Each structure stands twice: as C-alpha cells, then as structure tokens.
C-alpha cells in the first residue's frame, strides 16, 4: 500500500453503541425513566411495537459483549451513559443514584482490564423524563443547560480518572428535528405529525438546537476549567450529516442548494461550536426570528469553550435540487429536494438494507476533506455502518455472511486513507456502528446494523464475518 494511504500510528478504531439501544434493565437499580421509555410505550405504537425494556440485556451481559470486542481485535469502544441511571430525575438539585454510577464504574473497569479504551458519550437522546415533565426538557434553554452541566460534572468526577475521551452530545440535529419537528423520535412533539398531541414544528427544533449548543459549551468549559489539568483528557461532540452534491452540476442554483443543505445539517451546530460565531447566514435568511439569537453572554460562552475534536457520524450521501419559491415555515432542509439520483439518472450509491442509506465512499472522502478544511479539528468517525440488503429477514446463518457490510467498511476505510494521504485531512479514529444488532429507535428491531447477530428471543450473540475481518482491514492500512 502506498504511503499516501497509511493510517497514522495513533489511529484508534473500535465499535460503538448507545445505552437505550442495548442496556435494558430500565427499572433496575434505581434508574429513572427517560423520554424513550415513555415514547416506546405510547399507544398506538411509534416504534413498531418495540421498546428498550430488555433490548440486548447489555446491563447483565457486558462482560460477554466485551469479550467480543477483544475477539474482534478492537482497542477502543464508544458507549453512552444513561443520564437517568445517574440522576433518576435529571436535575442539578436532584439526588444521585449510586447504584447506576457503580454500574458504569464496573463497565469502565471491565474495558480497561482488557486493554480497551473507553469513549464515553454523555447524551445519546435519552433525556430524563423528569426534566421533560418539569420544564419541557430542551425547550427550556436556561434550565436544560444548567442541568446538563451538573450531570456532566458528575460523570467527570466519578469516571474521569479513567475516561480520557468524552463526547458531550450525539447528533443534536436528530434530537432537534426528529424529536421536535417530525415527531418520529422521542419526545414526539410536532405540529405536522397527526400522531403528535403537542408541538410547533416551525419553532421548537430551533429552540432545542440552541439549548444543546449551549449545553455542550457549558460541559466543555466545566471540563477544561476544573478537570482537564488533573485528568488530561479530551472532549468533543458527534454531529451527523450527509454529503450533498448538486442534482444538476451545471446549475449554480443546485450547487447553492447542496451547500445550503449541508449548512442546515451541519453548520447549524458546527458554526457556533467550532467557529465561535452565529448560525450560517442561509439559516438566518430563511428562518428569520424563528431562529433564536445568541445573546452577548451566550456568544462569550461559546467563545470560551474549546472543543478538542469533531466527532463525525456518517452513513450516506445525496443529491440536492433547489426549490423555487419561499420555504414552508416547517421546512428544515434549507428549501431543497433530497434525491438519490441526479439529473442524468446516475445513482448516488449502492443500495443497502434501508432506503435512505446508500454506500457512497467517494463522497465520504469529500465529506471528510470538507469538514476538516472548514472546521480545522481532528476528526474521529464516531459512527459508520449499514444493514445489508434484506438482512432484517435473514436467519442467523444467512446474516453472518455479510458481504455487503464488508464491502462498505473496506471502501469507506479506503476513503479515510485517501482523505488523509491525498487531501491532507486529519482523521484520527473510526468506530463502526454497531457492536450488536439492537433497537434501532423508531425502526424497532428491524434493521440490523450490528457486526454481531443478536437473537432477540434468546439474546445469543453470533459474530458476523465483518466483525472478524475489520481488524484485518485496519492492519492492511497501518
């Protein structure tokens, strides 16, 4: 392999999970309810009848799961902490749950004794239900950021002697849009979704986004002020976002649409967090007063926060086509159409097991290079993966032969190498999504993203071929 495609010697790779998707044990050892506990039990169902009450039972089987991480050759593992397992009611004046803290201490120690580096996400969408009931959660910008800071401080205090890699929030775009615009995710607020009983899709997502941005900033400042000197760790955030190409590459309006879509998707959070400035101008132009302003004090808070790395969750890419006329008040795309083929009929990528997810490794390279050039921070790919075509209907013996996933991983790792070696991007790590087949939120137990097959009746785990080959793929590029 040429020098231009060699990964750096300190490159980290491993697997990723999230608490509500795998832990189960939702009512054990003092854990409080989260908004997903409530959402998964609504009638009629919003999650295809699925819930996380048991999930993969990782709460009782984590040793078995970490044996798999070791078997697969990974030296890093990304997981999230359940806020309501640490502070059952969620608030800064509410009592801690020592049994929940003890669980995560056991989990962290179990990883370390195996030589696996823990990467901890503080928030992966599972807001304590107590905060939603008390003041509507993220819709109260002032209260939510103070409660999140206290929760973060508890985690630093209890786990930071061993955890050196922190991610504040996972995909705030998803929480804001799917939770408060479309209503497809918890807490299910929407004025465009007939199943939702409350919400305002024109205003609430943008309020929630601001609350999360300021919560991130407070968590970073707290860590840098009071913990980093002794704990010597680093802290970042994981942002999702597709890469967009113009539907008609000869039409400047579509080129503008592609850029505008990425600004609405990524710049919404990345501009305030990494560039210390206001939201992208195209958002201000379209949304007007519905996009809440930052006060001078809030801008100063953003200016004081120093985020160490950009966590990138990437799955696919699309084409963007401009729309004529004024955007609807409930539009969150940037007044564009998202398409999977361009004007000439060329497909953006090979189909996976989900309609929205195509394999687009060449555009992944462009995405990495664009993000590093724009925001200037080291990138850790904190999620990347796919379900194979038809996998949700396969037997275990069929699913373990996951040739599509192997091709997806191999081609996307090659794109990382090219972005580093030929484009000059700084990419420092990679986490495959996911270690286990698990609860895929509102899609229930249908799509299988795992490198490990989970039998949801027996909870038996079976390695897929991709899990056993991923280490070899990295070794080839080292």
């Amino acid at each position: 392999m040429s020098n231009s495609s060699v990964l750096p010697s300190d490159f980290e790779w491993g697997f990723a999970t999230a608490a509500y998707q795998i832990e189960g044990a939702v009512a054990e050892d003092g854990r409080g309810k989260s908004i997903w506990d409530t959402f998964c039990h609504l009638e009629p169902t919003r999650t295809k009848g699925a819930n996380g009450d048991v999930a993969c039972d990782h709460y009782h089987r984590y040793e078995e799961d970490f044996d798999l991480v070791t078997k697969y050759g990974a030296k890093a593992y990304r997981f999230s902490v359940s806020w309501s397992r640490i502070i059952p009611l969620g608030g800064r004046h509410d009592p801690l749950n020592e049994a929940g803290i003890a669980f995560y201490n056991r989990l962290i120690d179990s990883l370390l004794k195996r030589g696996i580096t823990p990467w901890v996400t503080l928030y992966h969408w599972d807001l304590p239900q107590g905060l939603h009931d008390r003041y509507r959660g993220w819709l109260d910008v002032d209260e939510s950021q103070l409660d999140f800071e206290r929760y973060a401080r508890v985690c630093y205090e209890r786990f930071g002697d061993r955890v050196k890699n922190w991610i504040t929030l996972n995909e705030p775009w998803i929480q804001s849009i799917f939770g408060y615009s479309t209503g497809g995710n918890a807490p299910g607020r929407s004025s465009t979704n007939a199943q939702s009983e409350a919400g305002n899709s024109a205003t609430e997502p943008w309020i929630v986004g601001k609350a999360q941005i300021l919560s991130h900033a407070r968590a970073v400042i707290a860590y840098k002020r009071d913990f980093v000197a002794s704990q010597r760790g680093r802290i970042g955030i994981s942002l999702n976002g597709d890469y967009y190409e113009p539907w008609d590459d000869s039409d400047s309006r579509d080129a503008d649409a592609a850029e505008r879509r990425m600004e609405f998707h990524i710049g919404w959070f990345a501009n305030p967090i990494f560039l210390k400035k206001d939201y992208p101008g195209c958002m201000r132009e379209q949304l007007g007063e519905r996009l809440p302003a930052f006060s001078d004090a809030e801008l100063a808070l953003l200016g004081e926060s120093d985020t160490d790395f950009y966590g990138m969750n990437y799955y696919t890419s699309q084409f963007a086509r401009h729309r004529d006329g004024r955007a609807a008040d409930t539009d969150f795309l940037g007044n564009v159409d998202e398409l999977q083929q361009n004007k000439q009929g060329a497909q953006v990528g090979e189909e996976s097991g989900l309609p929205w997810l195509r394999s687009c490794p060449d555009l992944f390279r462009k995405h990495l290079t664009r993000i590093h050039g724009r925001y200037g921070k080291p990138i850790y790919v904190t999620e990347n993966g796919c379900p194979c075509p038809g996998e949700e209907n396969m037997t275990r013996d069929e699913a373990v032969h996951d040739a599509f996933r192997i091709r997806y991983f191999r081609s996307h790792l090659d794109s990382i190498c090219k972005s580093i070696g030929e484009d000059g991007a700084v990419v420092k790590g990679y986490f495959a999504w996911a270690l286990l087949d698990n609860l895929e939120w509102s899609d229930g137990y249908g799509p299988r993203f795992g490198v490990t097959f989970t039998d949801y009746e027996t909870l038996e785990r079976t390695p897929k071929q991709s899990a056993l080959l991923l280490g070899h793929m990295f070794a080839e590029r080292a």
Side-chain angles (χ1 to χ4, degrees):
M1 185 161 288
S2 67
N3 289 335
S4 66
S5 59
V6 173
L7 296 173
S9 60
D10 60 351
F11 193 89
E12 296 190 60
W13 74 272
F15 300 95
T17 62
Y20 190 72
Q21 293 180 272
I22 67 168
E23 280 185 3
V26 296
E28 289 190 38
D29 296 333
R31 178 187 177 275
K33 278 190 174 183
S34 77
I35 56 175
W36 272 96
D37 292 294
T38 301
F39 190 74
C40 282
H41 287 277
L42 292 175
E43 295 292 346
T45 182
R46 313 285 184 88
T47 57
K48 298 180 171 60
N51 61 65
D53 292 0
V54 176
C56 301
D57 196 29
H58 178 73
Y59 190 82
H60 300 111
R61 296 169 180 254
Y62 65 88
E63 296 280 9
E64 174 187 351
D65 293 337
F66 295 162
D67 285 345
L68 289 173
V69 177
T70 300
K71 180 177 182 177
Y72 301 160
K75 295 297 184 183
Y77 173 68
R78 177 191 172 211
F79 65 97
S80 74
V81 172
S82 170
W83 186 344
S84 61
R85 206 180 282 285
I86 301 295
I87 309 173
L89 295 176
R92 57 193 179 276
H93 303 301
D94 294 323
L96 303 183
N97 177 32
E98 292 296 339
I101 291 170
F103 165 69
Y104 290 111
N105 274 321
R106 293 194 301 272
L107 192 152
I108 292 163
D109 290 343
S110 180
L111 289 169
L112 292 174
K113 77 178 183 182
R114 290 171 166 82
I116 300 168
T117 301
W119 282 67
V120 173
T121 303
L122 294 171
Y123 183 75
H124 199 126
W125 307 349
D126 48 353
L127 185 79
Q129 182 67 36
L131 298 186
H132 185 78
D133 293 341
R134 188 176 299 168
Y135 54 72
R136 297 196 305 167
W138 296 114
L139 286 170
D140 190 318
V141 175
D142 294 331
E143 290 293 318
S144 60
Q145 61 180 296
L146 295 175
D147 284 340
F148 184 75
E149 179 186 346
R150 193 262 183 148
Y151 161 59
R153 284 180 174 274
V154 170
C155 291
Y156 305 151
E157 290 165 358
R158 299 302 189 95
F159 312 132
D161 58 330
R162 288 151 294 151
V163 173
K164 308 302 176 186
N165 304 283
W166 297 97
I167 295 167
T168 56
L169 305 172
N170 181 77
E171 299 183 344
W173 188 94
I174 296 286
Q175 175 71 93
S176 303
I177 297 300
F178 290 175
Y180 295 84
S181 179
T182 71
N185 279 8
R189 292 181 63 85
S190 174
S191 55
T192 62
N193 186 330
Q195 287 188 296
S196 298
E197 296 180 355
N200 185 334
S201 300
T203 58
E204 289 189 2
W206 317 114
I207 296 169
V208 169
K210 179 180 178 180
Q212 291 179 97
I213 289 167
L214 295 176
S215 294
H216 163 82
R218 283 188 176 275
V220 169
I221 292 169
Y223 188 67
K224 294 299 181 73
R225 277 182 182 173
D226 298 331
F227 297 95
V228 74
S230 61
Q231 296 181 357
R232 304 182 66 81
R234 54 191 166 182
I235 189 165
I237 187 171
S238 288
L239 301 180
N240 65 301
D242 300 350
Y243 184 82
Y244 290 82
E245 296 251 277
W247 179 74
D248 180 352
D249 59 11
S250 67
D251 190 332
S252 62
R253 294 172 299 176
D254 286 352
D256 291 342
E259 181 64 22
R260 188 166 63 252
R261 181 67 193 95
M262 289 186 281
E263 292 284 55
F264 266 73
H265 216 158
I266 298 164
W268 176 11
F269 298 96
N271 279 21
I273 288 169
F274 293 104
L275 301 183
K276 321 292 189 189
K277 65 179 188 181
D278 194 23
Y279 305 109
C282 60
M283 294 185 71
R284 280 268 172 235
E285 182 179 352
Q286 177 176 318
L287 300 172
E289 293 183 356
R290 289 184 289 116
L291 187 62
F294 291 114
S295 68
D296 290 343
E298 290 166 342
L299 287 172
L301 194 74
L302 293 171
E304 187 180 349
S305 64
D306 181 18
T307 305
D308 295 317
F309 62 87
Y310 185 110
M312 175 187 287
N313 291 1
Y314 171 87
Y315 291 94
T316 194
S317 296
Q318 301 185 63
F319 295 109
R321 181 176 62 194
H322 76 281
R323 291 177 180 171
D324 293 322
R326 180 181 179 275
D329 283 351
T330 55
D331 175 71
F332 52 80
L333 301 177
N335 206 24
V336 307
D337 292 320
E338 298 178 313
L339 303 163
Q340 293 179 324
Q341 64 180 30
N342 66 11
K343 186 178 182 180
Q344 289 73 41
Q347 299 294 319
V348 73
E350 185 181 4
E351 294 182 36
S352 74
L354 281 169
W356 60 265
L357 200 164
R358 302 291 185 99
S359 179
C360 313
D362 293 341
L363 299 184
F364 178 43
R365 172 185 174 178
K366 291 185 177 182
H367 191 48
L368 288 163
T369 303
R370 176 184 181 273
I371 291 298
H372 183 259
R374 178 161 298 217
Y375 300 112
K377 293 290 185 177
I379 295 171
Y380 289 85
V381 179
T382 43
E383 288 182 25
N384 182 239
C386 65
C388 299
E391 187 173 8
E392 65 184 274
N393 297 315
M394 293 180 185
T395 65
R396 178 193 63 183
D397 291 343
E398 293 169 335
V400 297
H401 301 289
D402 54 345
F404 181 90
R405 183 176 289 107
I406 291 169
R407 289 200 310 277
Y408 182 98
F409 283 151
R410 180 172 285 121
S411 62
H412 283 69
L413 294 182
D414 284 343
S415 292
I416 290 174
C417 292
K418 291 173 182 175
S419 183
I420 294 170
E422 299 177 28
D423 305 340
V426 178
V427 186
K428 305 282 284 189
Y430 178 94
F431 292 85
W433 184 269
L435 176 64
L436 306 168
D437 291 335
N438 56 44
L439 175 67
E440 281 300 328
W441 305 108
S442 57
D443 280 334
Y445 290 103
R448 291 181 174 268
F449 277 83
V451 299
T452 307
F453 181 89
T454 304
D455 184 319
Y456 295 123
E457 293 185 4
T458 67
L459 297 178
E460 180 184 4
R461 282 86 152 123
T462 305
K464 301 177 187 178
Q465 289 183 341
S466 60
L468 302 171
L469 291 174
L470 198 56
H472 295 293
M473 295 182 201
F474 279 102
E476 291 169 359
R477 293 157 179 79

